[in-house]
């Protein structure tokens, strides 16, 4: 335990020497409804779609700091399409939407030896 305290104190003194112990820089939002979320480490875009508020977070780790900021601003200006292509949601598989069949009947078909997976 004492060794851990000594190492922590050493690390803190290294941070002080590099002047990294002060308050964090404030990241100014480029426009209203777009801001940087430090916890999520990405730019968040707030917008309205179909009369409902929506939000999207663009990772600075994945797209880079400036790239994620540009994506967030583009999403706010065009909330339907944005810049990135999106894949369709999961939803209910079409085979399960057929009328008259239960999910059990859709998943299995009977045979002479019992139930077999499709």
């Amino acid at each position: 335990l004492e060794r851990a305290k000594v190492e922590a104190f050493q690390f803190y003194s290294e941070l002080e020497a590099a002047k990294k112990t002060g308050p964090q820089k404030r990241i100014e939002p480029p426009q209203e409804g777009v801001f940087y979320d430090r916890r999520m480490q990405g730019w968040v875009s707030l917008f309205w779609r179909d009369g409902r508020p929506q939000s999207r977070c663009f990772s600075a780790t994945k797209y880079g700091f400036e790239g994620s900021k540009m994506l967030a601003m583009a999403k706010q200006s065009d909330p339907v399409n944005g810049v990135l292509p999106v894949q369709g949601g999961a939803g209910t598989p079409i085979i399960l939407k057929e009328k008259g069949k239960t999910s059990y009947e859709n998943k299995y078909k009977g045979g002479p030896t019992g139930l077999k997976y499709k």
Side-chain angles (χ1 to χ4, degrees):
L1 185 65
E2 291 299 320
R3 195 169 97 199
K5 287 181 183 179
V6 170
E7 286 181 26
F9 185 73
Q10 265 183 331
F11 180 67
Y12 183 76
S13 57
E14 288 174 15
L15 288 177
E16 277 185 328
K19 295 185 169 106
K20 293 186 176 183
T21 57
Q24 294 181 347
K25 292 188 295 185
R26 176 157 166 70
I27 299 172
E28 294 296 323
Q31 63 190 41
E32 189 175 333
V34 176
F35 61 93
Y36 185 75
D37 186 355
R38 288 188 188 273
R39 186 177 67 85
M40 296 296 291
Q41 295 183 356
W43 285 90
V44 178
S45 174
L46 303 173
F47 55 92
W48 290 80
R49 186 188 306 162
D50 299 328
R52 293 177 176 230
Q54 305 277 319
S55 67
R56 294 290 179 271
C57 183
F58 297 93
S59 170
T61 305
K62 185 174 182 179
Y63 301 111
F65 187 81
E66 291 298 322
S68 60
K69 180 174 26 172
M70 289 190 304
L71 288 171
M73 291 188 309
K75 184 66 175 180
Q76 191 181 37
S77 62
D78 185 9
V80 175
N81 298 320
V83 176
L84 295 175
V86 295
Q87 298 174 356
T92 305
I94 293 178
I95 192 168
L96 295 179
K97 291 184 178 180
E98 295 175 7
K99 300 289 183 192
K101 292 184 178 179
T102 64
S103 61
Y104 184 81
E105 291 169 336
N106 283 326
K107 189 172 182 181
Y108 297 100
K109 59 183 178 182
T113 60
L115 296 175
K116 293 184 180 176
Y117 192 75
K118 278 188 177 180

